[in-house]
Amino acid sequence: MKRILVALTVLAGAAPSSAGPCFDYSLPTHPTRVFVASQAWSAVAASETHVFQLGLGTQFYVFEIDGPETPVGTATLDGTYREIAYAGDFVYISSATTNKVSVVDVSDPTAPFQRGILTGVGGRLDVEGSLLAVARGSGGLALVNVADPDVPFLTGSVTSIPVVDVSLEGNLAYLATNLQFRVMDVSDPTTPLEIGHIDMNEGTFAVHARGTEFWGTTGYIGPLDQYGTLRHFSAVNPANPTFLANVAPLLLLDMVEAGNFLAGPTVHKGLATIDISIPQTSTFVSHVPGFSSTQRIAGNAGGRVWLGNLPTSGALIEGQLSAIVSPSPVSTPTADGTGSRMASSGGLLFAVMYGGSFDDSGALRVFDPGSLSQIGSFVEGTDYVDGLLVDDGMALYTHGYADPSNDYFYLRALDVSNPATPTEIPIGSPFVGLYQLAGAALDTPYLYAPWSGGFRTVEIDPSGTITEHALLPVPGAFVSRATGTGLLVTGDTSAIHFIDVSDPDAPGELSSLPVPSSVRGLLVEGTTAYVTFLGASSRTDLFVIDFTNPGSPIVIGQTTAPHTTNGLTLANGMLYAYGDRAFCVIDVSNPAAPVYVGSGGATNIQLANVVAIDEKLIALETIPSPDPPYAAGEYRLRAFALQCFNSVSAPELPGAIVSATPAFPNPFRAGTNLQFLLPRASQVSLDVLDATGRRVRSVRNGTLPGGSHQLTWDGRDASGHETAAGVYFLRLRAGSEESVRRVVRLR
């Protein structure tokens, strides 16, 4: 029975913004504390005061929750163990490989020692009182009496069914058994008796019971694909358990109850949180990425959770549930089918969506970004719709039918100056390819896109007249952005091109800038271009390009993010690079020193694209159907909070200190350094601000000569006390200039 009671708190770094709620996406990536033990495994358990972790070999570690980040107690075991459970003065460990169970005495956490060993059984564990339940996989269920920790013995078993996981609740054992969840009466553990079950149409993985309800995950884990669903069941009548709801399209590998929440690591490399405050009701709260190797979770009454072996092997990561709960999603009414593309213009949100069958309709839909309610639409009937460009009252997209032997797609133009009633602009039926708008740009009335004979400028006037202009001097753009000043920026397999299109009949390339691989995302803001392309190990590399002189663009900054991304959106100095399953947050407030902050999304919900609008981040998501084969299911618009960086009440930056580098190390524990170069002697101050903008410490206030300097903050406040874990800002002032650097404090 894995249950803890939580008192929710707010962690530094998640401060509210005056413009709307915000979330610090760095918190899951840079947790509150990191406990370090050599060669640690992901199996963890927790009491109210200590955390217990198994090593990769024969090590057993004990950490004091509010103590040092190194073990306060260790033991050498008789062999390797992979599963763990805690109750009272004892930790129970097991290994399905070596097929044994053992008891570790932790009554003195500084001197743990191994006691009894039982051979012949091994697997996942749960404990209630003196009864230890062991899920043995194909070996079934073993019930072990641990009343005498020196002599654990097998008291009962079930060998007729495979048991993947087990959860004890009173006299009942809830089992995940291949294609079923079963309920067994274990009041007499010598003769366990099945009293009820519910059939599933896919494999079961984890189960957790509370009172008269339980949760189970089902799905599939294969070499190329993983998917799953967390499901909620009622056991008011344990002889006839009933299905309540599909909670989230996530495959949880383990679950721990934490007051009003259920939390667990997922196969999708994240941490899921479910609100279970109302009996017989479950509400999905969040799925936070960044937990790449986690299979087990532990927690305590203080709201802390611990996950082993992430993000670095050998680390035990502590987080706070309140810190990793992102804002609840706000969704449109869902419908059969999937989303396709989304764009913003004039403060409104536009999306093209199509049905999952010919009984449904493809359409352009217009939404109020505040409420995410639909305010207008143009319905295509049964046509598939894709690609979307919107600018100055005009919307363009493709519509048609996809078939390997006979596909057809046409361009649709709409007047959306009245968004409640979009009307067709009569352009006829120009034939285009399905993905022809993917690399296109619209600067009304000009469309820059693949057209007859190549990539060219096409003029579309409000009456529907189409005029073809000259071919553009690019062989084929993957992505294009118009600046609105007669300049077109395009990206292809090897370069970024800057093209003068002020005369649509005589375009000319001003310059090109090589990039290492095919351009995946391109965003233009003023005279700055943000370009992403695929880096090593499916990561995303970012170039920040200054094209103040478009004839001689230069790369002024670059960084790397951990996910593959396809598109970009920008808000308040933060760049959001989104891919099929997740988005990365990159701080570009100083374009010369972009910094990866953290990630959001990362479930098996597909992101069609993401748009920053109305002080929020809105994703067009495709939700898999709740049952296999997880084909087209439903679509929704989901609102995420923006990154909290700009919630800090720091002044606008009038200029940059010459060569102020990012703080290092970052994140940090003992101290962090800031290096900078002064062109001349200046009055210099370095202040530390917390996430609300309050000054925590003045590190330096005095005159420094011209030249290179380094200042260090030791992590203490003005009184010399250690500051709490969280996000802080180093504000460096020299003369009339100022620079701010964001840092994360670990404890």
Side-chain angles (χ1 to χ4, degrees), residues 15 524 570 743:
V524 172
L570 181 70
V743 294

Side-chain angles (χ1 to χ4, degrees), residues 20-305:
C22 67
F23 182 69
D24 189 349
Y25 292 96
S26 75
L27 288 172
T29 307
H30 307 305
T32 57
R33 298 187 77 191
V34 179
F35 294 89
V36 179
S38 171
Q39 298 297 306
W41 180 247
S42 65
V44 292
S47 69
E48 295 304 312
T49 56
H50 291 83
V51 182
F52 313 101
Q53 185 177 28
L54 291 171
L56 284 174
T58 60
Q59 305 89 357
F60 178 85
Y61 303 106
V62 182
F63 299 92
E64 185 179 347
I65 287 174
D66 293 314
E69 295 173 358
T70 53
V72 297
T74 61
T76 300
L77 306 174
D78 70 304
T80 300
Y81 292 84
R82 288 290 179 263
E83 301 292 345
I84 192 169
Y86 163 81
D89 289 334
F90 303 102
V91 169
Y92 303 93
I93 55 179
S94 177
S95 171
T97 304
T98 57
N99 214 27
K100 60 183 176 181
V101 168
S102 185
V103 183
V104 179
D105 190 323
V106 292
S107 55
D108 179 358
T110 65
F113 64 98
Q114 193 171 5
R115 295 182 66 168
I117 299 173
L118 173 65
T119 60
V121 296
R124 296 189 65 171
L125 305 174
D126 198 14
V127 60
E128 179 124 347
S130 61
L131 183 64
L132 181 70
V134 186
R136 302 183 58 204
S138 59
L141 175 71
L143 299 174
V144 179
N145 187 310
V146 291
D148 182 349
D150 292 314
V151 190
F153 65 92
L154 184 67
T155 185
S157 64
V158 177
T159 59
S160 58
I161 55 173
V163 180
V164 179
D165 193 20
V166 57
S167 179
L168 295 175
E169 181 70 7
N171 290 325
L172 299 178
Y174 294 81
L175 312 179
T177 63
N178 202 0
L179 296 177
Q180 293 177 318
F181 291 107
R182 301 174 187 257
V183 185
M184 287 202 158
D185 184 344
V186 293
S187 55
D188 179 1
T190 63
T191 55
L193 177 66
E194 181 179 335
I195 58 175
H197 72 270
I198 185 168
D199 293 327
M200 296 288 103
N201 56 2
E202 57 187 348
T204 60
F205 287 88
V207 63
H208 177 83
R210 179 190 70 174
T212 59
E213 56 192 326
F214 67 97
W215 294 262
T217 56
T218 64
Y220 169 78
I221 299 178
L224 300 178
D225 194 19
Q226 303 89 34
Y227 56 78
T229 303
L230 175 63
R231 305 176 189 267
H232 189 190
F233 304 90
S234 171
V236 171
N237 177 7
N240 184 29
T242 56
F243 170 76
L244 292 176
N246 290 319
V247 181
L250 296 167
L251 201 164
L252 277 69
L253 301 171
D254 191 20
M255 288 177 269
V256 63
E257 189 179 331
N260 291 331
F261 293 94
L262 193 68
T266 70
V267 73
H268 315 291
K269 299 182 180 180
L271 179 63
T273 306
I274 313 298
D275 185 340
I276 56 173
S277 57
I278 302 174
Q280 309 294 310
T281 302
S282 298
T283 303
F284 173 69
V285 176
S286 67
H287 182 261
V288 179
F291 302 93
S292 59
S293 305
T294 304
Q295 296 184 5
R296 300 291 180 264
I297 185 171
N300 78 346
R304 296 170 177 173
V305 290

Side-chain angles (χ1 to χ4, degrees), residues 12 55 58 139 153 304 461 466 519 547 617 631 651 671 687 722:
T58 60
F153 65 92
R304 296 170 177 173
D461 73 16
I466 292 180
V519 174
F547 61 94
L617 198 64
D687 294 323
E722 293 278 353

Side-chain angles (χ1 to χ4, degrees), residues 725-736:
V727 174
Y728 295 86
F729 297 86
L730 305 181
R731 183 177 63 190
L732 178 67
R733 287 174 171 167
S736 62

Side-chain angles (χ1 to χ4, degrees), residues 565-614:
T565 60
N566 302 316
L568 303 170
T569 188
L570 181 70
N572 302 337
M574 294 290 164
L575 187 70
Y576 301 86
Y578 57 87
D580 290 341
R581 295 291 186 271
F583 58 84
C584 301
V585 185
I586 302 173
D587 182 350
V588 292
S589 56
N590 179 0
V595 178
Y596 168 69
V597 174
S599 302
T603 71
N604 62 338
I605 297 175
Q606 183 174 356
L607 299 178
N609 63 327
V610 177
V611 170
I613 185 175
D614 194 39

